[in-house]
Amino acid sequence: FGGGRRVVLVRDAADSMAKAVEAALEAPADSLIILLAGDLAARSRLRTLAEKHPAAAAIACYPPEGAKRGSDLEASLRADGVSIERDALSWCVMRAGAESGALRQAAEALSLYAGPNGRLTLEDCVAALGDQGSASVQDAVDAALTGDIATADRALGLAIEEGAAPVGILRVLLGE
């Protein structure tokens, strides 16, 4: 790549990588390694390494759970002067998934759609959020079905960034 500092991003990091990560931390290098992992138990080797090694850091992220997601979305909308019907709120929470970022993006899109002092119905929410990620999901499915793993991986990442729920992606794939 040329000279200079490098950043290495590892997705789906797991305990099986702990030895390699420790070796990388011990080797003198001008690099930054970012590990993205799902749920890691408190006793996870990888988590323990990141929390205790002087050259590492761990940032725990906890998605909002259950009813809290709905109340968080409703509070964001209320702060913008927007109200939402109960069935619309339930649909939005289900549509946005468990990611806090997706919930914030949904709140922003809905606030813009409703405008000041607006009231959102289910139909409004479907219109404002219904197509998020659909093109990327279809691209991912098409690439997966043709065996193009690299394209499928990129499209899946984009779909999830756009707010597509993993369960929805699976439903599209199973419908093909």
Side-chain angles (χ1 to χ4, degrees), residues 11 17 19 57 94 97 114 124 130 176:
R11 295 178 192 261
M17 300 175 177
K19 253 187 181 176
M94 183 179 61
D124 295 330
E176 291 293 317

Side-chain angles (χ1 to χ4, degrees), residues 143-167:
L145 292 175
T146 60
D148 186 353
I149 295 172
T151 300
D153 185 49
R154 279 192 304 277
L156 277 173
L158 182 59
I160 290 171
E161 285 177 21
E162 291 174 345
V167 171

Side-chain angles (χ1 to χ4, degrees), residues 20-164:
V21 170
E22 187 169 23
L25 287 169
E26 297 300 329
D30 190 25
S31 299
L32 175 66
I33 301 171
I34 301 171
L35 304 173
L36 299 177
D39 280 340
L40 293 177
R43 294 184 182 169
S44 160
R45 289 177 27 212
L46 189 61
R47 180 174 167 179
T48 302
L49 175 64
E51 289 172 344
K52 293 186 178 179
H53 196 284
I59 301 173
C61 299
Y62 303 100
E65 295 183 22
K68 181 150 176 31
R69 293 187 351 239
S71 61
D72 287 352
L73 177 60
E74 192 170 24
S76 292
L77 292 171
R78 195 173 326 117
D80 290 337
V82 176
S83 63
I84 186 170
E85 294 178 357
R86 290 284 140 216
D87 59 337
L89 179 64
S90 297
W91 182 86
C92 290
V93 169
M94 183 179 61
R95 173 76 177 82
E99 293 294 321
S100 299
L103 213 54
R104 277 193 304 275
Q105 287 177 339
E108 289 173 9
L110 291 167
S111 290
L112 285 172
Y113 184 88
N117 301 313
R119 178 157 180 81
L120 293 164
T121 64
L122 179 58
E123 293 76 22
D124 295 330
C125 294
V126 170
L129 303 177
D131 289 336
Q132 285 184 342
S134 62
S136 300
V137 169
Q138 194 57 54
D139 292 344
V141 169
D142 292 344
L145 292 175
T146 60
D148 186 353
I149 295 172
T151 300
D153 185 49
R154 279 192 304 277
L156 277 173
L158 182 59
I160 290 171
E161 285 177 21
E162 291 174 345

